[in-house]
Amino acid sequence: MKFMTLEALRGKLGQKIPIFVTLKELSDKGQAILPFMADQFRECGNWDGAEVDGPLQKFVTQLLRDGQAVVLFDGLDEVNLENDKRATLINELKAFVNSFEKCQVLVTCRIAASDYSFARFKYVEMADFTEEQQKRFIFKWFQDDAARRDACWQALSDSKSRNLRELAHVPLLLTLLCITFERRGEFPPDRDEVYRTAVNALLFEWDNSRLIKRDKVYEGLDVKYRERLLAWIAFETFSRSEYLLEEDKLAALIEAYLGTVPRVEADVDGLNVLKTIEAQHGLLVERAQGVYSFSHLTLQEYFTARFVVDNTQDVLPQLMSHVGEDPWREVFLLTAGMLYGADTFVQHYLARLNGLISGDETLVTYLKWVTEKSAAVTTGVQPVATRAFFFFLDRALDRALDRALALDLAVTYDLGLLRDLSSDALNHIKVLQDWSGRRPDLPAWLPEKLAQVNFPEAGAGPEAWLLCAQQLESILLRYWRLEQFWELNSAQLNLLNQYLAGTSVLVECLKVATVRDRAAVEAQLLLPPP
């Protein structure tokens, strides 16, 4: 978005004025879009004495009406869902676009936030770095050190660095990898270790900062307490879905924490510490006047997980209250990977999953149905994978009545879960074809119909999976003699959505967590609550 703004200022988008709007700030201020824009113009230009609702707002309105501006709305996913803030803002954005049809508008949003739909927009996704772009980035990073440049690229290209190469597709994470390699001369094996090493590198120079030399009160703030300070800030703010942080509140959080550090004896100036963190380390940055955030959401997620790991006994129940919530996915994965032993974590997680649906008799009965149907299948595939398959199948046919929901839940969650629970997911379905051909007691039409199912190729999109689901549902509904779908209301659908999303994250956690009996944990997935 910043690049697009600069390109507009350079005239690359025509002679149009770029108007950059941070949607979280707009929502938090409770302003309408036009007054907010006018306020931005007044702060940034020579508009002394201009009233926001007077000539200045008329100027902005005319600018938009004539199509002489390109408006960049940044970070829709950062607007809180509570009190319908995001839904309200989405309606305001739709009204804005309809009112100023000549104006070019760009809206950014994380893919995970899928609760929006805009007409007449072209939807695009930010592409990950290609291998060539990764190489170019690394070569520019180490342009003054050819030996380290070549060593970094060779280490990243090594067959043992497959997980690191996945991270390197994301520009920010490749930056962290370069920092890590620059400091250590090698890559650590785990993702959380990459974050930890990179953060230590960013904090390393604090001991030599002018602030510490100037004021002895900060002598006790060594690397350990700096990390704990950032973890405290991250957890306190992330728990409230706060990603843009007001300066005074952030300074108060800093002062509250530093007041507990034993070697910091004098009164603490939280604002000075905040400015030092921003100037020396870039971990907290000022996004607008008096408004801060972590330099990237990834760092806020990492420090939040760090706080959970350091305070497991007190904080774990609070973390578990967010099972199934997409914004907490990365926090769960990082926490699971950083814990020395994750058995307690996993048991709390399973208990929370069961608790999500244990109070709803319909959903419990639904889980029993899934379990009974999967128990009747003797294909040699893991039982939990079979349960995941039946979940996918039933949710797909249920949502065949609503194509949008079918794409969202049946494909995004259920098939993703099926693939993770069983590395042989497609073969699992194809086993049904082989199985049906060898069973003389089956109706003659079943093998023929199963053989006609069009299975998606590797990398196929959701439409191909939906077509496959529709074919399977038609066949198996007939075979099972099911005449109607499960009747779930919107609240139950949301609860089931959260349950399946949470199960999918637990599957991912088990890939990085240290647990005594991984198979025993997997065997408990997608079962009715005890």
Side-chain angles (χ1 to χ4, degrees):
M1 293 290 275
K2 291 178 179 178
F3 174 77
M4 294 293 290
T5 303
L6 291 172
E7 289 293 273
L9 290 172
R10 296 180 182 120
K12 298 292 183 65
L13 304 181
Q15 298 303 313
K16 297 185 178 183
I17 297 177
I19 303 177
F20 188 95
V21 178
T22 302
L23 290 175
K24 182 68 163 57
E25 182 183 358
L26 169 65
S27 176
D28 287 347
K29 286 188 174 182
Q31 283 183 288
I33 295 176
L34 281 175
F36 180 86
M37 287 181 172
D39 217 13
Q40 299 291 86
F41 270 78
R42 184 173 58 176
E43 289 179 7
C44 299
N46 186 21
W47 296 94
D48 293 339
E51 295 294 332
V52 172
D53 58 351
L56 178 53
Q57 185 164 317
K58 291 180 180 177
F59 165 78
V60 175
T61 301
Q62 194 61 48
L63 194 71
L64 296 167
R65 189 167 290 143
D66 294 342
Q68 293 303 308
V70 54
V71 183
L72 303 105
F73 290 115
D74 187 35
L76 179 59
D77 56 286
E78 294 179 355
V79 177
N80 288 340
L81 292 170
E82 289 81 4
N83 300 320
D84 293 326
K85 283 186 176 181
R86 190 184 296 175
T88 300
L89 182 57
I90 289 172
N91 288 332
E92 291 176 0
L93 290 173
K94 290 178 179 178
F96 177 88
V97 172
N98 291 333
S99 298
F100 304 105
E101 294 189 345
K102 293 182 179 180
C103 190
Q104 289 178 301
V105 178
L106 183 65
V107 182
T108 63
C109 185
R110 273 187 142 192
I111 297 172
S114 57
D115 56 338
Y116 61 89
S117 177
F118 295 104
R120 295 184 292 140
F121 272 75
K122 178 182 290 187
Y123 284 75
V124 297
E125 253 181 61
M126 288 293 291
D128 288 338
F129 270 169
T130 64
E131 184 173 312
E132 177 57 35
Q133 289 170 326
Q134 294 173 28
K135 183 176 182 180
R136 194 185 318 155
F137 185 96
I138 290 172
F139 274 45
K140 288 186 176 183
W141 184 279
F142 295 105
Q143 58 185 331
D144 297 325
D145 189 342
R148 182 144 294 193
R149 174 199 69 194
D150 295 339
C152 179
W153 177 245
Q154 183 176 355
L156 194 63
S157 303
D158 189 278
S159 59
K160 298 179 181 179
S161 301
R162 181 173 58 85
N163 292 336
L164 291 182
R165 286 202 302 275
E166 290 298 317
L167 295 180
H169 288 296
V170 181
L172 174 76
L173 299 184
L174 180 55
T175 303
L176 294 179
L177 289 173
C178 287
I179 293 174
T180 300
F181 198 89
E182 193 169 41
R183 303 293 300 185
R184 296 175 51 141
E186 63 178 3
F187 289 125
D190 299 319
R191 177 167 54 179
D192 60 271
E193 179 70 8
V194 174
Y195 289 124
R196 184 155 61 90
T197 305
V199 166
N200 284 338
L202 294 172
L203 291 173
F204 188 78
E205 300 301 326
W206 187 323
D207 288 339
N208 297 322
S209 70
R210 291 189 300 274
L211 181 59
I212 295 178
K213 292 179 180 179
R214 182 172 65 239
D215 194 338
K216 292 184 179 181
V217 71
Y218 299 112
E219 286 183 348
L221 210 60
D222 57 21
V223 172
K224 175 177 69 176
Y225 287 113
R226 296 168 213 162
E227 288 187 309
R228 289 181 179 178
L229 167 62
L230 290 164
W232 156 262
I233 292 171
F235 183 82
E236 286 294 309
T237 55
F238 198 84
S239 295
R240 297 193 292 265
S241 301
E242 294 176 354
Y243 313 114
L244 291 174
L245 317 170
E246 295 180 16
E247 182 180 81
D248 56 345
K249 292 182 179 179
L250 194 49
L253 280 174
I254 292 172
E255 292 173 5
Y257 174 77
L258 293 184
T260 68
V261 177
R263 291 190 292 276
V264 178
E265 299 177 356
D267 292 336
V268 177
D269 186 337
L271 184 58
N272 280 343
V273 177
L274 172 59
K275 294 295 184 182
T276 300
I277 295 173
E278 179 187 19
Q280 299 294 329
H281 316 299
L283 289 167
L284 293 170
V285 295
E286 190 172 20
R287 300 296 186 184
Q289 186 172 358
V291 178
Y292 283 77
S293 76
F294 280 85
S295 54
H296 195 278
L297 181 60
T298 305
L299 292 173
Q300 191 176 10
E301 292 167 336
Y302 165 76
F303 279 116
T304 299
R306 183 77 264 167
F307 185 85
V308 174
V309 171
D310 292 341
N311 302 273
T312 304
Q313 186 172 354
D314 297 327
V315 178
L316 199 57
Q318 188 173 343
L319 174 66
M320 293 304 158
S321 68
H322 298 287
V323 165
E325 297 178 15
D326 189 75
W328 285 80
R329 178 182 181 277
E330 189 68 16
V331 175
F332 277 107
L333 291 173
L334 288 166
T335 300
M338 286 190 281
L339 287 167
Y340 288 108
D343 291 285
T344 301
F345 168 91
V346 169
Q347 292 309 314
H348 276 78
Y349 198 111
L350 284 169
R352 174 59 180 171
L353 275 178
N354 287 326
L356 284 174
I357 59 173
S358 60
D360 192 295
E361 184 177 349
T362 300
L363 291 181
V364 172
T365 303
Y366 178 40
L367 270 175
K368 290 179 179 177
W369 176 87
V370 168
T371 304
E372 291 169 1
K373 288 296 181 184
S374 61
V377 177
T378 56
T379 61
V381 180
Q382 297 179 52
V384 65
T386 309
R387 292 195 292 273
F389 167 70
F390 279 96
F391 252 117
F392 151 65
L393 185 69
D394 185 68
R395 300 318 304 152
L397 59 89
D398 188 11
R399 284 165 171 73
L401 303 175
D402 186 335
R403 291 296 185 265
L405 282 176
L407 289 174
D408 176 34
L409 182 60
V411 176
T412 304
Y413 287 131
D414 300 286
L415 285 181
L417 176 62
L418 176 58
R419 293 192 194 99
D420 283 338
L421 287 171
S422 170
S423 59
D424 217 14
L426 287 178
N427 283 341
H428 172 208
I429 302 175
K430 291 178 181 178
V431 163
L432 289 174
Q433 294 175 321
D434 297 336
W435 167 77
S436 65
R438 292 183 279 103
R439 288 285 300 273
D441 57 328
L442 294 178
W445 60 266
L446 182 57
E448 180 181 349
K449 289 293 184 182
L450 283 172
Q452 295 173 1
V453 174
N454 296 315
F455 294 105
E457 298 292 334
E463 294 82 3
W465 281 104
L466 183 58
L467 177 61
C468 176
Q470 291 169 337
Q471 291 177 305
L472 283 172
E473 74 184 38
S474 175
I475 295 170
L476 296 183
L477 270 178
R478 179 180 172 185
Y479 176 65
W480 291 330
R481 299 176 183 176
L482 292 177
E483 297 180 356
Q484 61 183 17
F485 302 139
W486 283 89
E487 296 294 336
L488 301 180
N489 58 38
S490 59
Q492 290 169 327
L493 287 173
N494 289 334
L495 203 57
L496 185 59
N497 188 351
Q498 187 177 357
Y499 174 82
L500 292 174
T503 303
S504 181
V505 171
L506 180 54
V507 172
E508 290 295 317
C509 287
L510 290 173
K511 295 178 180 179
V512 296
T514 302
V515 292
R516 290 189 179 91
D517 193 340
R518 201 175 313 274
V521 176
E522 291 178 349
Q524 298 179 61
L525 298 177
L526 302 179
L527 285 174

